[in-house]
Structures are given as structure tokens and as C-alpha cells.
Amino acid sequence: QVQLVESGGGLVQPGGSLRLSCAASGSIFSMYAMGWYRQAPGKQRELVATKASGGSTNYADSVKGRFTISRDNAKNTVSLQMNSLKPEDTAVYYCHAMFNNTATMTEYNYWGQGTQVTVSS
């Protein structure tokens, strides 16, 4: 099984920056697609950014140009650099891992416990 632990959340002023990190253990990290999701109070969880095992990336329109996802397979970590933060970015951010076993067409999904990001003056 895979375990994910997020860190780096906190309080930041609008326009500021924050870097989130996610450490993975328990499986072969390089084979997983990784991503960051967030959930604000009263709202559904939404995709923020993803990075496939092959390196391709995808960003939500609301964060495009401000956030950058990266991964270090050697260290089993994935990070989210967040710049020009807005109050609308306030949410609990979750690390996500997905593995698609193409031989059996079986998909596995794992989630971290979440880390709070608050953007406020």
C-alpha cells in the first residue's frame, strides 16, 4: 500500500508564496501519476495540478501560471509551488497518487491527510 504525507501548509498574505510537499512511501513512486487537489469549506474537492509518471502536467485554469507541480522520483516526493496566492486559494490541499495497472486495467488511488492553506491579510 501507499502512504502520503503532506506538509508546508500555513497562513500567507495575498500575493505571497507557499510550497507544499508530499512524501510517499510503501510502493514504487515512479510508477504513479501524482497530483494535488483542494477542498474549500462547502465546496467539492477539485483538481489543482497533476503530473504523470511520464512527466506531462495538467493545471486547473484557476491556478495556471501561478502554481507549478514537480516531482523527484529519487526522493519519492511531489511538490506544489504556489505563487501570487489569492484568498480564493484558501482550502485544504491533498496529495494524490494514482497507479494504472495496464495489464489488468485496474486503477489504484491514494490520498494524503491534507494540509491547510489560508490566504488572508
Side-chain angles (χ1 to χ4, degrees), residues 46-90:
E46 64 176 352
L47 181 147
V48 177
T50 61
K51 192 171 186 67
S53 59
S56 62
T57 57
N58 183 46
Y59 295 93
D61 289 340
S62 59
V63 308
K64 196 170 299 181
R66 300 188 297 121
F67 291 10
T68 302
I69 186 172
S70 61
R71 65 189 296 167
D72 188 334
N73 290 337
K75 297 182 178 180
N76 288 357
T77 59
V78 61
S79 299
L80 184 69
Q81 179 65 46
M82 304 182 292
N83 298 325
S84 302
L85 283 163
K86 305 174 181 179
E88 304 93 278
D89 297 318
T90 297

Side-chain angles (χ1 to χ4, degrees), residues 25-40:
S25 63
S27 191
I28 304 175
F29 179 82
S30 62
M31 299 181 67
Y32 286 78
M34 302 297 299
W36 288 94
Y37 292 72
R38 67 186 182 187
Q39 187 168 21

Side-chain angles (χ1 to χ4, degrees), residues 1-12:
Q1 59 180 338
V2 175
Q3 291 185 323
L4 305 172
V5 180
E6 303 98 332
S7 63
L11 175 65
V12 64

